């Protein structure tokens, strides 16, 4: 899909050197993608909220190579410094994309990238970084060939390419919310790319907040990639995929109706199911820390006491996403300062919220 061998620069009419820049956000899955097959295809559909403040800026500079050769020439800078490990990974990814972007071998490329949140913090950056790179590549294609003028075509290809880099990244392309994976609950949904889901959101969810409580900044003992692979031998895998499919349908209904309680129940059940799957893998593993558990109990106790619709989610790590409607911002921030911060590493948390999606700079 989206392969096109005709996307080659005519050397008798080379383009001027140029640059494209995108800022792309992270996203938080409410229905989790956990388990994949083939080339980054999901075992179940997932649904995420697009975030606003946790994002990656990527700039891609290009110049036509006077001396043709058959390789991709790439300089790579992360936060202004050359980074060999990231360069090697990115180069391998770009090589894998030459059927989609054959012109990459005809260019001298420089990528400069950086995150709005500090690196090695235990916060996943693959969704924001891979989506910003995919958007740059699609803008580059469009600048050279004018082939992605239609906004929906552009987004679809960007989402597809982002998925090949990191599954969850394909959902970051769209404002407010996105669905990835074919499901009867969302017409037009696909395993190959994510589709916009902002239209499913009752206004109550467009002003949702997601404060990330940083419980640990240590590198995860088991990467997401390895975690997905362990789903293949997990005895609960099949029931899990069926559960995710059913929950996605219930979640779509709750999102449409503005049903915060059902939304919150599904968000928490999904977070705990994800970690339960890790505990049932072979070998089993545990990414929650004592402070994670402490915070989960505090969140449920606070909800019971105040009746505020405040819920948690977890990614594949110990950090907590605190989800609540915008009208509660001052109450919740006061509570974080008073009662939750002490469980965060160096008292650290990040304010985030549902955002407008990527932006070309
Ligand atoms: C728990 O997208 O990071 O965050 O496709 O191997 O790059 P790869 O995995 P990744 O997995 C994300 C898993 C998750 C749930 C989710 O975002 O849906």
């Amino acid at each position: 899909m989206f392969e096109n061998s005709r996307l080659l620069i005519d050397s008798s009419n080379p383009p001027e050197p140029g640059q494209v820049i995108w800022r792309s956000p992270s996203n938080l899955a409410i229905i989790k993608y956990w388990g994949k097959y083939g080339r980054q295809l999901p075992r179940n559909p997932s649904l995420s909220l697009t975030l606003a403040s946790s994002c990656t800026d990527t700039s891609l500079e290009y110049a036509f190579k006077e001396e043709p050769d058959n390789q991709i020439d790439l300089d790579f800078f992360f936060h202004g410094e050359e980074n060999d490990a990231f360069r090697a990974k990115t180069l391998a990814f770009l090589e894998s994309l030459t059927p989609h972007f054959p012109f990459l071998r005809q260019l001298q490329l420089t990528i400069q990238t950086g995150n709005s949140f500090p690196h090695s913090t235990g916060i996943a950056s693959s969704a924001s970084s891979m989506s910003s790179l995919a958007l740059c590549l699609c803008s580059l294609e469009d600048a050279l060939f004018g082939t992605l003028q239609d906004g929906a075509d552009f987004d679809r290809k960007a989402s597809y390419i982002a998925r090949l880099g990191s599954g969850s990244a394909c959902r970051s392309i769209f404002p407010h919310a996105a669905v990835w994976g074919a499901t009867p609950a969302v017409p037009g949904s696909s395993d190959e790319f994510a589709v916009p889901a902002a239209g499913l959101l009752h206004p109550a969810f467009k002003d949702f907040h997601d404060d990330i409580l940083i419980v640990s900044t240590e590198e995860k003992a088991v990467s997401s990639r390895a975690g997905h692979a362990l789903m293949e031998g997990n005895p609960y895998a099949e029931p899990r995929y069926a559960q995710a499919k059913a929950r996605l349908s219930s979640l779509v209904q709750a999102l449409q109706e503005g049903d915060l309680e059902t939304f919150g129940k599904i968000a928490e059940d999904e977070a705990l199911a994800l970690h339960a799957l890790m505990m049932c893998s072979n070998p089993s593993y545990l990414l929650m820390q004592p402070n994670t558990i402490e915070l989960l109990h505090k969140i449920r106790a606070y909800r019971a006491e105040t009746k505020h619709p405040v819920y948690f989610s977890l990614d594949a790590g110990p950090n907590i996403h605190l989800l609540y409607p915008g009208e509660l911002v001052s109450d919740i921030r006061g509570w974080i300062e008073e009662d939750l911060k002490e469980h965060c590493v160096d008292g650290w948390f990040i304010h985030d919220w549902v955002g407008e999606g990527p932006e070309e700079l």
Side-chain angles (χ1 to χ4, degrees), residues 2 20 54 77 79 118 146 148 167 325:
F2 295 111
V20 291
S54 308
F77 298 84
H79 287 276
L148 293 172

Side-chain angles (χ1 to χ4, degrees), residues 29 32-34 36 40 126 166-168 171 224 228 274 315-316:
K32 306 291 183 185
Y33 146 59
W34 200 240
K36 62 177 171 179
Q40 298 278 94
S126 70
S166 176
S168 55
R171 298 184 309 237
S224 284
H228 285 289
L274 172 70
D315 264 336

Side-chain angles (χ1 to χ4, degrees), residues 6-20:
R6 282 171 299 147
L7 295 175
L8 280 169
I9 298 166
D10 172 3
S11 56
S12 66
N13 185 21
E16 291 294 314
Q19 181 184 23
V20 291

Side-chain angles (χ1 to χ4, degrees), residues 31-49:
I31 302 294
K32 306 291 183 185
Y33 146 59
W34 200 240
K36 62 177 171 179
Y37 68 100
R39 192 172 177 197
Q40 298 278 94
L41 292 164
R43 291 282 186 196
N44 63 262
S46 54
L47 188 153
S48 58
L49 298 177

